[in-house]
Amino acid sequence: MRLALLGGTGDFGEGLALRFARDTDHEILIGSRDPERAREAVTAYEDTLETHGASGSIKGFTNEMVADRADIVVLAVPPYYVGDTVDAIADKLDGDTILVSPAVGMKRDENGMHYHSPPAGSTTELVANRAPAGTPVVGTYHNLPANTLADLETEIDFDTPVVGDTDAVQMVISLTNEVEGLRGLAAGPLANAREVESLTPLVINITKYNSELDEAGVKWV
Amino acid sequence: MRLALLGGTGDFGEGLALRFARDTDHEILIGSRDPERAREAVTAYEDTLETHGASGSIKGFTNEMVADRADIVVLAVPPYYVGDTVDAIADKLDGDTILVSPAVGMKRDENGMHYHSPPAGSTTELVANRAPAGTPVVGTYHNLPANTLADLETEIDFDTPVVGDTDAVQMVISLTNEVEGLRGLAAGPLANAREVESLTPLVINITKYNSELDEAGVKWV
């Protein structure tokens, strides 16, 4: 399977790329608006994997090119770029390509982070509204700490809720569970995306007020 | 210390009463609008404790009477009763009595549960607005599964976020951590209550779509 990480040069894209490349046999495609940056990121990720005695298949191209080739496309971009990113790749999506939305709209104030959803109700639903009709859309990975993912020395044991159409959710959960220490948990259809996205500001707030939980994740027990 | 559970005859009150009675030395006061129901609940809880080879100090009175005696008052009532319950006990609260709000406004549809906050922003902030000025208000215990708490055979290992004024939050966290397998996690001031309350519908939705996680809790790892 080919897994594309759009905005794959950012911290979160790096974490996902390293974990998926190390722990699965899938081909990881790093997308960026600038293909040169994507290729530089691939070189850096390959170096990191080698340092940890690991390897994997990673390639870098433009966002459009990786979306064209991939079976699953993760929109690892900031929430305010999500809509434009979907527009940019729209004509590369066939009805089978699964779009995965991990972005969360938030506002920070002196107390902490607060959930701030777009008019669509959630960023995941915004993606579903902007994508071509019939595109399977899944919301997940919102609550995973980027730096912990990117640090391959750290053994993880994290859950991540997954919302969307049942078949696409099951496919993304299967893929997610191939990564050591990650478990996807079905959380219902897209209409439940708000509740899933709202977990992220809570995780950040708990990190802010409990320094020992910096870069922690959440587990259902 | 005296811990009052208003609405302590319900499922959630039962769970808290049994765990606090078994695991701490504090006096547990069960409040109900009907003092006879409170006394019946106390008898039932004492029987349950005895069945499990445990004991504890539990007494039952009206909501007003337990609020008058307690150091910490938990509003273990449905969200639509919270405001009236605060009004009913308002003249029994001195400036030191900590009010704890565990209720969450939610709406259920065919997909699952959705967070539905009052105009105050959260039920915890509604409590703060309705309570006499200067009353320390804390929001916590929203995400704890009532039936698991009430089943003393089940060893728990749950986290619960805690919001409010720093001193009151620290006192409630200390109390919470006395219960075996419970850990309170500071999540900031009352302004962060929405993010804390929003976790509950997500926990319920994940339960709905993952039957093996029925009555599960959440842990920061």
Side-chain angles (χ1 to χ4, degrees):
Chain A
M1 192 182 279
R2 282 174 168 163
L3 173 67
L5 305 173
L6 269 56
T9 61
D11 285 351
F12 187 59
E14 178 182 1
L16 290 179
L18 292 173
R19 296 277 168 177
F20 276 103
R22 187 190 67 176
D23 295 347
T24 79
D25 292 329
H26 303 299
E27 191 170 74
I28 313 303
L29 305 176
I30 303 299
S32 174
R33 283 176 297 176
D34 174 357
E36 186 53 35
R37 283 194 63 206
R39 281 189 289 270
E40 285 168 14
V42 168
T43 304
Y45 299 169
E46 285 174 338
D47 286 352
T48 303
L49 287 169
E50 201 182 328
T51 305
H52 291 84
S55 63
S57 170
I58 319 184
K59 289 175 182 156
F61 302 99
T62 62
N63 283 336
E64 291 80 356
M65 287 173 74
V66 302
D68 195 27
R69 296 172 186 211
D71 303 292
I72 296 183
V73 174
V74 181
L75 298 160
V77 298
Y80 41 91
Y81 285 142
V82 164
D84 289 346
T85 305
V86 173
D87 291 346
I89 62 166
D91 65 356
K92 308 297 183 193
L93 300 170
D94 58 51
D96 293 328
T97 313
I98 297 174
L99 271 186
V100 174
S101 177
V104 181
M106 290 184 280
K107 277 191 175 169
R108 188 191 295 275
D109 64 18
E110 70 278 14
N111 302 310
M113 285 295 225
H114 303 286
Y115 184 52
H116 183 69
S117 63
S122 64
T123 301
T124 308
E125 287 161 293
L126 178 154
V127 169
N129 293 348
R130 288 282 272 269
T135 305
V137 172
V138 164
T140 191
Y141 303 152
H142 308 92
N143 64 311
L144 298 176
N147 294 336
T148 307
L149 289 185
D151 173 14
L152 292 177
E153 293 295 307
T154 303
E155 267 190 45
I156 60 174
D157 186 19
F158 296 150
D159 286 344
T160 187
V162 187
V163 283
D165 301 327
T166 309
D167 290 351
V169 163
Q170 285 313 316
M171 190 166 297
V172 171
I173 287 177
S174 294
L175 175 74
T176 301
N177 292 355
E178 290 183 47
V179 176
E180 215 172 294
L182 271 194
R183 177 174 67 162
L185 292 176
L190 288 180
N192 293 353
R194 275 184 76 86
E195 283 69 35
V196 168
E197 295 181 2
S198 298
L199 177 59
T200 300
L202 175 62
V203 168
I204 294 171
N205 292 345
I206 285 190
T207 299
K208 176 180 165 80
Y209 291 94
N210 301 268
S211 50
E212 75 279 14
L213 292 174
D214 189 29
E215 292 290 322
V218 172
K219 187 88 190 155
W220 262 254
V221 289
Chain B
M1 192 183 279
R2 283 175 169 163
L3 173 67
L5 305 173
L6 270 55
T9 61
D11 286 349
F12 187 60
E14 177 181 3
L16 290 179
L18 292 174
R19 297 277 169 177
F20 277 103
R22 188 191 66 177
D23 295 348
T24 79
D25 293 328
H26 304 299
E27 191 170 76
I28 313 303
L29 306 176
I30 303 299
S32 173
R33 283 176 298 177
D34 174 359
E36 186 53 36
R37 284 195 61 208
R39 281 189 288 271
E40 285 168 15
V42 168
T43 304
Y45 301 168
E46 284 174 337
D47 286 351
T48 303
L49 286 168
E50 198 182 329
T51 305
H52 291 84
S55 62
S57 169
I58 320 185
K59 289 174 183 158
F61 302 99
T62 62
N63 283 336
E64 290 79 356
M65 286 172 75
V66 302
D68 195 27
R69 296 173 187 211
D71 303 292
I72 297 184
V73 174
V74 181
L75 299 160
V77 299
Y80 42 90
Y81 285 141
V82 164
D84 288 347
T85 305
V86 173
D87 291 347
I89 62 167
D91 64 356
K92 309 295 184 195
L93 300 170
D94 58 51
D96 293 328
T97 313
I98 298 174
L99 271 187
V100 174
S101 177
V104 180
M106 290 184 279
K107 276 192 176 167
R108 189 191 294 274
D109 65 17
E110 71 277 15
N111 301 309
M113 283 296 222
H114 303 286
Y115 184 54
H116 183 69
S117 63
S122 64
T123 301
T124 308
E125 287 161 293
L126 178 155
V127 170
N129 294 347
R130 288 283 273 268
T135 305
V137 172
V138 164
T140 191
Y141 304 152
H142 308 92
N143 63 311
L144 298 176
N147 293 336
T148 306
L149 289 186
D151 172 14
L152 291 177
E153 292 295 307
T154 302
E155 266 189 46
I156 59 174
D157 186 19
F158 297 149
D159 286 343
T160 187
V162 188
V163 284
D165 300 327
T166 309
D167 290 351
V169 163
Q170 284 313 315
M171 190 167 294
V172 171
I173 287 178
S174 293
L175 175 74
T176 302
N177 293 354
E178 289 182 48
V179 176
E180 214 172 295
L182 270 194
R183 177 174 66 162
L185 292 176
L190 288 180
N192 293 353
R194 275 184 76 85
E195 283 69 35
V196 168
E197 295 181 3
S198 299
L199 177 59
T200 300
L202 175 62
V203 168
I204 294 170
N205 291 345
I206 285 190
T207 298
K208 177 179 165 81
Y209 291 95
N210 301 268
S211 51
E212 75 278 15
L213 293 174
D214 190 29
E215 292 291 322
V218 171
K219 187 88 189 156
W220 262 254
V221 290

